[in-house]
């Protein structure tokens, strides 16, 4: 799928209260108002809505990113359209989505780090100290900066045609 066609990006991970919303907050911050893309965070196993993990919230707030009013939601098949791109944090989550969602396929579900050319998956900071969440933030920001660069490059190439 060409990035210019994407209208929704969903970050999906675990219970949806740490890495997925962290990634969504970072991408929203990086993109600003420049691109008309809906950015969502979803969990793969959400028994009931939960607020943002406190350490995730602290790290994001320290970087000036607010996720006020955030509540975890489980990924739903109807959220996945032909203009949706889904990023997971690891291969296991990607396989889980591909196996359980009819609308998911090899063209719209990716491990974020692999998509941007990195070799390691995004670590799960859950239960670790605040510094581990900070490291997760830096890793995600690096990956998402590469993604935004790719998005901008594709936009420039389209404008030159």
């Amino acid at each position: 799928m060409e990035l210019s066609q994407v209208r929704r990006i969903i970050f999906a991970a675990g219970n949806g209260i740490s890495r997925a919303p962290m990634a969504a907050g970072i991408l929203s911050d990086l993109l600003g108002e420049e691109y008309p893309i809906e950015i969502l965070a979803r969990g793969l196993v959400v028994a009931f809505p939960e607020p943002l993990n406190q350490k995730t919230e602290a790290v994001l707030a320290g970087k000036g990113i607010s996720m006020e009013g955030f509540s975890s939601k489980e990924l739903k098949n109807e959220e996945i359209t032909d203009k949706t791109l889904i990023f997971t944090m690891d291969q296991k989550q990607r396989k889980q989505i591909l196996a359980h969602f009819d609308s998911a396929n090899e063209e719209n579900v990716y491990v974020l780090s692999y998509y941007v050319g990195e070799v390691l998956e995004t670590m799960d900071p859950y239960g670790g100290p605040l510094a581990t969440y900070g490291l997760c933030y830096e890793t995600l920001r690096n990956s998402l900066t590469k993604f935004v660069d790719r998005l901008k490059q594709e936009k420039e190439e389209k404008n030159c045609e």
Side-chain angles (χ1 to χ4, degrees), residues 153-161:
Q153 181 180 357
E154 185 179 296
K155 184 178 180 181
E156 287 173 15
E157 289 170 0
K158 273 242 185 269
N159 290 339
C160 289
E161 290 178 358

Side-chain angles (χ1 to χ4, degrees), residues 11-137:
F11 293 98
N15 59 7
I17 62 170
S18 294
R19 291 180 290 178
M22 187 181 286
I26 293 168
L27 185 58
S28 294
D29 185 53
L30 290 171
L31 289 181
E33 301 295 319
E34 191 175 344
Y35 293 88
I37 299 173
E38 179 181 23
I39 302 168
L40 304 173
R42 294 293 184 255
L44 299 177
V45 180
V46 179
F48 53 89
E50 289 184 72
L52 191 61
N53 174 287
Q54 290 179 337
K55 292 176 185 174
T56 297
E57 186 173 21
V59 168
L60 289 175
K63 303 295 183 180
I65 301 172
S66 173
M67 297 292 286
E68 189 174 332
F70 175 85
S71 183
S72 63
K73 294 178 183 161
E74 191 167 73
L75 180 63
K76 302 282 186 215
N77 195 60
E78 56 270 14
E79 294 177 308
I80 307 169
T81 71
D82 61 343
K83 297 192 183 310
T84 303
L85 188 58
I86 302 170
F87 287 124
T88 65
M89 303 298 140
D90 61 45
Q91 190 64 25
K92 181 180 175 188
Q93 293 166 346
R94 180 177 183 268
K95 287 179 180 177
Q96 185 179 349
I97 291 171
L98 290 172
H100 293 97
F101 294 92
D102 295 336
S103 301
N105 59 58
E106 299 284 336
E107 300 297 316
N108 65 5
V109 183
Y110 298 92
V111 176
L112 173 62
S113 57
Y114 299 162
Y115 187 84
V116 297
E118 296 169 355
V119 294
L120 298 176
E121 297 175 345
T122 306
M123 59 176 266
D124 187 356
Y126 191 76
L130 187 60
T132 303
Y133 284 79
L135 182 58
C136 182
Y137 172 90

